[in-house]
Amino acid sequence: MKFETILVKQVGNLATITINRPTKLNALNKATISELHDAFKNLNKDETVKVIIITGSGEKAFVAGADIAEFSDFSEKEGGKLAAKGQKKLFDYIENLSKPVIAAVNGFALGGGLELAMACHFRVASDNAKMGLPEVSLGVIPGYGGTQRLPQLIGKGRANEMIMTAGMIDASKALSYGLVNYLVPQEELIPLCEKLAGKISNNSSTAISNAIKAVNAGFKTNTDGYKEEIKAFGDCFGTPHFIEGSTAFLEKRKADFK
Ligand code: COA
């Protein structure tokens, strides 16, 4: 598949998506959101892919937000539609993907950029990364899940402060908040993400997709996460991966999950 605003490459069972609008600091426009949706959809279907990394091109930005130029003249109705469509097509889509997605935050992750990183299953940052939700400085609020996922990740008080001040935090504060799992020099960012992806890909992909469902269930209103966990746990039994994993343990050998 040919894309205009993103690059997709695959090495072994690891796919990397790079948002490629460096002159606009990788801001998310309509085309980028649509291409990202298509890329994630394809990679999710592709049985040779086990883990996905998403990053931004250049050394300055992961994603500097939604493309402000595209929505500056929107009406209330158009604004609501923009958020609803974006959440469904990209942000909720990534969070509920059956394969793990790691955000390699290589610079500014602002507004929709931080929301994109937060929709991923976890985040790793380079030392130059800066994160924030500056929307209230533009007269709007985060609309791609930021008011929900930021409090989930760092707590309500810290999230409220970030949202209300519209300020940026640096990578070490993001690490201390638990917003990112690691902080490394920029040149070590992708190698570390690849190392983590390698560890993940040694495990059962079917079990991992069940774990994603169970973890996400705990954050959905009207869903009992414990019940979902019981179902997802039960679903693992009888799968070829469970048979291989448990047999390998009993035979004192390393499991080989195809
Ligand atoms: N939407 C559209 N264009 C954006 C953008 C965004 N969110 N963020 C950056 N750009 C564009 C700039 O307009 C500029 O384009 P130009 O060269 O055609 O004028 C280019 O990217 C480079 O940005 P610039 O502002 O010149 O870089 P900087 O180093 O001076 O500042 C930032 C970097 C990230 C602080 C600044 O770009 C910024 O504040 N961006 C907007 C962040 C934001 O509010 N995001 C939330 C959107 S809801």
Side-chain angles (χ1 to χ4, degrees), residues 10 33 53-54 79 87 145-146 171 174 188 192 200-201 215 235 249 257:
Q10 186 180 342
I33 289 181
I53 293 172
I54 182 164
Q87 288 194 17
E188 290 171 27
L192 175 59
I200 293 170
S201 66
V215 170
D235 286 348
F249 179 80
F257 297 112

Side-chain angles (χ1 to χ4, degrees), residues 19 28 54 62-63 91 94 101-105 108-124 131 144 149 153 179-180:
I19 299 164
L28 295 176
I54 182 164
F62 173 70
V63 170
F91 300 81
I94 293 175
V101 184
I102 306 172
V105 182
F108 288 114
L110 302 174
L114 180 54
E115 290 172 304
L116 178 63
M118 292 193 295
C120 297
H121 298 111
F122 62 90
R123 290 144 291 285
V124 178
M131 284 157 256
Y144 287 147
R149 291 192 183 99
L153 286 164
L179 185 54
V180 300

Side-chain angles (χ1 to χ4, degrees), residues 72-140:
S72 57
D73 60 350
F74 272 16
S75 66
E76 284 165 56
K77 204 170 161 197
E78 288 170 313
K81 253 184 156 174
L82 179 78
K85 246 183 130 176
Q87 288 194 17
K88 184 164 179 236
K89 241 185 152 176
L90 189 59
F91 300 81
D92 292 355
Y93 194 78
I94 293 175
E95 186 171 64
N96 293 301
L97 214 69
S98 53
K99 293 178 186 177
V101 184
I102 306 172
V105 182
N106 59 313
F108 288 114
L110 302 174
L114 180 54
E115 290 172 304
L116 178 63
M118 292 193 295
C120 297
H121 298 111
F122 62 90
R123 290 144 291 285
V124 178
S126 57
D127 49 11
N128 64 322
K130 287 214 160 51
M131 284 157 256
L133 292 177
E135 284 86 347
V136 299
S137 71
L138 299 166
V140 287

Side-chain angles (χ1 to χ4, degrees), residues 23-25 27 60 64-68 108 110-111 134-135 138 168:
T23 59
K24 295 290 172 193
L25 303 185
K60 197 169 165 184
D67 195 321
I68 300 167
F108 288 114
L110 302 174
E135 284 86 347
L138 299 166
M168 292 184 210

